Amino acid sequence: MRVLRAIVLALLLSLLFGVAVGTLLRLRLERPVRYLGSAPASLPLDIGEPGPPILHPRHDEQQIG
């Protein structure tokens, strides 16, 4: 009976460890693309601060990593 408990505990701990590592990897790989000089896009109904205005019609943004 002790062996069965040890196996179940080991399986449970490995499951929790796998979920934690998988979540960290997924969050790290799903980072949004960031652009220099621009605020993050707001939601359609968001009434927060607007992003910076475009000062020149040919204003180009550079993508970071």
Side-chain angles (χ1 to χ4, degrees):
M1 197 57 142
R2 286 186 133 183
V3 175
L4 186 60
R5 284 185 190 169
I7 291 172
V8 169
L9 182 62
L11 287 173
L12 179 63
L13 290 176
S14 67
L15 174 70
L16 293 176
F17 180 76
V19 168
V21 169
T23 302
L24 289 175
L25 287 174
R26 184 178 52 86
L27 289 175
R28 202 172 261 208
L29 293 174
E30 289 181 354
R31 286 186 180 163
V33 176
R34 306 243 183 213
Y35 293 96
L36 287 175
S38 68
S42 60
L43 297 173
L45 299 176
D46 190 10
I47 56 171
E49 284 190 38
I54 297 176
L55 301 176
H56 190 271
R58 293 185 183 186
H59 176 73
D60 292 331
E61 297 173 339
Q62 296 178 359
Q63 184 174 355
I64 298 177

